[in-house]
Amino acid sequence: MSNYSEALAFAAAFCSSAEHCKSEVLEKMSKFELGQEEQSRIIQRLQQESFIDEERYVKAFVSDRFRFNKWGRIKIRFMLRQKGVSTELIEEGIKLIADDDYTNTLLTLLKQKKSTVKSKTKYELREKMLRFGAGRGFEPSIISLCLKKMDIDEEEY
């Protein structure tokens, strides 16, 4: 039982330092070599005591990744799915990103990137900018809209 109480104390300390989801806590607890039932009991207890709250985690994750990492919705969704978060919670979290903030963030990123991109033609510049935006997890339609605002649109080809 000592292993159980050590794991519980460790998991509680881990969760109190920052927001974490169930899969992250389970991954950290793996070093304690607990059975499935004990792991489930620990997770349940942490949820009851509000150490783990998936909804709160998703809101914090979406906010942080958008504001600080400048990730788009596609990348945020993908990373949350990787962590085993439910689709419903992911979509609720994604709704927290205001459309104007989203477009303005991408526009700022693209303008910064444009100054560092080397290209021989406007077509090549547009392709590199599209790839950059997609790599950040932004939707192609929004990237195209921002490129049009920057006067880098496909109508000239």
Side-chain angles (χ1 to χ4, degrees), residues 69-71 104-114 129 132 136 138:
N69 297 34
K70 310 283 191 247
W71 286 1
N104 290 336
T105 297
L106 176 59
L107 195 55
T108 302
L109 281 172
L110 291 173
K111 285 177 180 174
Q112 290 170 348
K113 183 66 177 172
K114 184 181 177 190
M129 300 293 275
F132 172 76
R136 283 295 184 115
F138 289 88

Side-chain angles (χ1 to χ4, degrees), residues 33-138:
E33 300 172 4
L34 298 171
Q36 193 72 32
E37 187 181 316
E38 289 177 316
Q39 288 179 358
S40 295
R41 281 189 11 230
I42 290 174
I43 294 295
Q44 275 183 324
R45 181 149 175 209
L46 292 173
Q47 287 175 322
Q48 287 169 352
E49 296 178 15
S50 293
F51 281 101
I52 297 176
D53 183 336
E54 296 271 306
E55 189 175 337
R56 191 176 64 210
Y57 171 77
V58 168
K59 287 177 182 177
F61 186 93
V62 169
S63 174
D64 289 354
R65 294 313 183 274
F66 176 67
R67 285 185 22 231
F68 301 121
N69 297 34
K70 310 283 191 247
W71 286 1
R73 292 178 178 131
I74 294 171
K75 190 169 187 172
I76 292 171
R77 273 189 192 100
F78 176 78
M79 295 307 287
L80 284 169
R81 260 190 241 117
Q82 292 289 101
K83 293 177 180 291
V85 176
S86 75
T87 304
E88 296 82 31
L89 283 177
I90 293 171
E91 292 311 314
E92 285 300 311
I94 292 292
K95 288 178 187 174
L96 297 174
I97 302 173
D99 289 338
D100 287 347
D101 290 343
Y102 193 68
T103 305
N104 290 336
T105 297
L106 176 59
L107 195 55
T108 302
L109 281 172
L110 291 173
K111 285 177 180 174
Q112 290 170 348
K113 183 66 177 172
K114 184 181 177 190
S115 66
T116 65
V117 171
K118 292 176 177 51
S119 60
K120 293 180 176 70
T121 65
K122 212 169 185 180
Y123 177 78
E124 186 181 353
L125 173 65
R126 177 180 164 71
E127 293 306 306
K128 287 182 177 186
M129 300 293 275
L130 278 168
R131 268 196 304 279
F132 172 76
R136 283 295 184 115
F138 289 88

Side-chain angles (χ1 to χ4, degrees), residues 12-30:
F14 178 64
C15 290
S16 62
S17 67
E19 289 294 336
H20 294 287
C21 63
K22 286 188 282 193
S23 64
E24 290 175 337
V25 176
L26 286 170
E27 187 179 309
K28 285 288 185 181
M29 284 193 318
S30 66

